[in-house]
Amino acid sequence: MSGRDALGIFNIIIVLGILGGISYLAMSLQPEEYDRDTLCVVGVTPPHRVVIIDKTDLYSMDQAEAIAGVILNERDRLGVGERLSLFELNENGNLSDTNNFSLCNPGSGEQVNPLYRNPERIQARYEALFAGPLQTALSDLVTPKDAPQSPILEALAGLTHEDSFDRSVPGRHIVLVSDMLQNSEIFTVYGRGRGSIEERLPDPVEVAQALEAQHGDGLMGVTLEIRLIPRAGWEADQAGPLRDYWDLVFRQLGVRAYWSELPGDG
């Protein structure tokens, strides 16, 4: 083979390599297919963060503002493609149809590489499809309401029946804004005439078993972040024996629970 032939073959290899690289980049930079309703990538089960607002008791306007801040903080913690859902807890323990916000983060202008995507166009899409609907949802979600029951535990377990939050979903994280004053058939914190809270609460093992008999063990592996709403006359129980009791119940259910107090005056 002559030197000219070898050089020709070498050039062909270089050209093919360049064409291959261009083809690869063209394919890899193609926008992924998104579900129109959820903005989630088709065929991918994203990590899911859920904020549940306990609307079975009233809270102050300061607390309402703090709740809005909690939700916006969760929005800002989302990675591109991760899902955020907002729910209210009503007196029936029902989270369905209380709010229609359940979307994946499509990415803001700050979250894209400007070499490959137009940040301004991406930001406009983010505002129109994600941030805007979230702001609309906030206006109702933080409006104080009241209800005669507070089936907190049943609501948490019921959430795991949803395909988007069952045990196959990675990174399941719940932020629960509540006073944690459970009041349902499974157990109630009320009834002070029956003695101290330690005396009147049922065995946490039995509570966990009763819940799993009704709803299964879907809560196992969930991370739960509790933003506690202080209630007048209940502060001592909320900070001490009631919190300890809840921790025992959650431990039986395989839930990793973390506590902090919601800012704002009660």
Side-chain angles (χ1 to χ4, degrees):
M1 178 184 299
S2 67
R4 181 176 297 177
D5 291 337
L7 181 60
I9 294 174
F10 178 76
N11 289 336
I12 290 173
I13 293 174
I14 293 296
V15 170
L16 290 176
I18 293 173
L19 292 175
I22 292 173
S23 298
Y24 172 78
L25 286 175
M27 293 180 62
S28 63
L29 295 179
Q30 284 290 326
E32 296 174 289
E33 183 181 357
Y34 288 90
D35 180 270
R36 181 176 297 180
D37 295 326
T38 66
L39 304 182
C40 300
V41 177
V42 173
V44 175
T45 302
H48 197 169
R49 304 182 73 87
V50 172
V51 179
I52 299 175
I53 309 300
D54 185 351
K55 302 296 281 291
T56 61
D57 284 291
L58 297 176
Y59 42 80
S60 70
M61 292 310 298
D62 283 345
Q63 289 169 334
E65 292 180 6
I67 290 170
V70 167
I71 295 171
L72 294 176
N73 181 63
E74 292 305 307
R75 176 202 66 185
D76 294 341
R77 293 170 67 180
L78 282 182
V80 177
E82 294 184 349
R83 189 168 187 167
L84 175 65
S85 296
L86 306 181
F87 292 107
E88 297 175 6
L89 165 61
N90 65 25
E91 72 275 13
N92 298 317
N94 185 10
L95 298 179
S96 301
D97 302 325
T98 53
N99 198 280
N100 59 4
F101 187 91
S102 183
L103 298 173
C104 285
N105 174 19
S108 65
E110 297 178 350
Q111 292 177 308
V112 298
N113 190 329
L115 293 176
Y116 305 127
R117 302 285 178 87
N118 184 320
E120 293 182 358
R121 181 177 297 177
I122 294 298
Q123 184 65 27
R125 182 184 72 166
Y126 174 83
E127 295 291 341
L129 300 181
F130 185 79
L134 175 59
Q135 198 65 45
T136 300
L138 281 179
S139 61
D140 176 67
L141 199 65
V142 300
T143 302
K145 298 178 183 177
D146 196 7
Q149 296 187 76
S150 188
I152 299 167
L153 200 52
E154 295 90 330
L156 294 175
L159 181 60
T160 67
H161 296 170
E162 302 290 333
D163 291 342
S164 63
F165 208 79
D166 63 23
R167 290 187 65 175
S168 68
V169 175
R172 293 184 300 163
H173 187 105
I174 299 175
V175 177
L176 174 62
V177 181
S178 173
D179 57 17
M180 301 305 288
L181 299 182
Q182 171 88 14
N183 183 24
S184 73
E185 291 184 1
I186 199 166
F187 82 89
T188 181
V189 304
Y190 298 99
R192 284 173 166 165
R194 295 184 283 114
S196 68
I197 197 166
E198 295 96 332
E199 295 171 328
R200 65 180 183 265
L201 290 177
D203 187 326
V205 174
E206 294 178 359
V207 168
Q209 290 174 343
L211 186 76
E212 290 185 340
Q214 295 179 28
H215 295 279
D217 62 354
L219 280 172
M220 186 174 294
V222 167
T223 299
L224 176 63
E225 185 179 340
I226 300 162
R227 296 298 185 93
L228 185 66
I229 300 176
R231 294 297 178 199
W234 286 91
E235 294 93 340
D237 286 335
Q238 286 179 305
L242 183 57
R243 174 171 172 170
D244 293 341
Y245 180 80
W246 274 113
D247 282 339
L248 291 173
V249 172
F250 289 136
R251 192 174 305 151
Q252 291 294 323
L253 294 169
V255 174
R256 299 184 297 276
Y258 305 90
W259 297 73
S260 62
E261 187 171 303
L262 184 75
D265 297 330

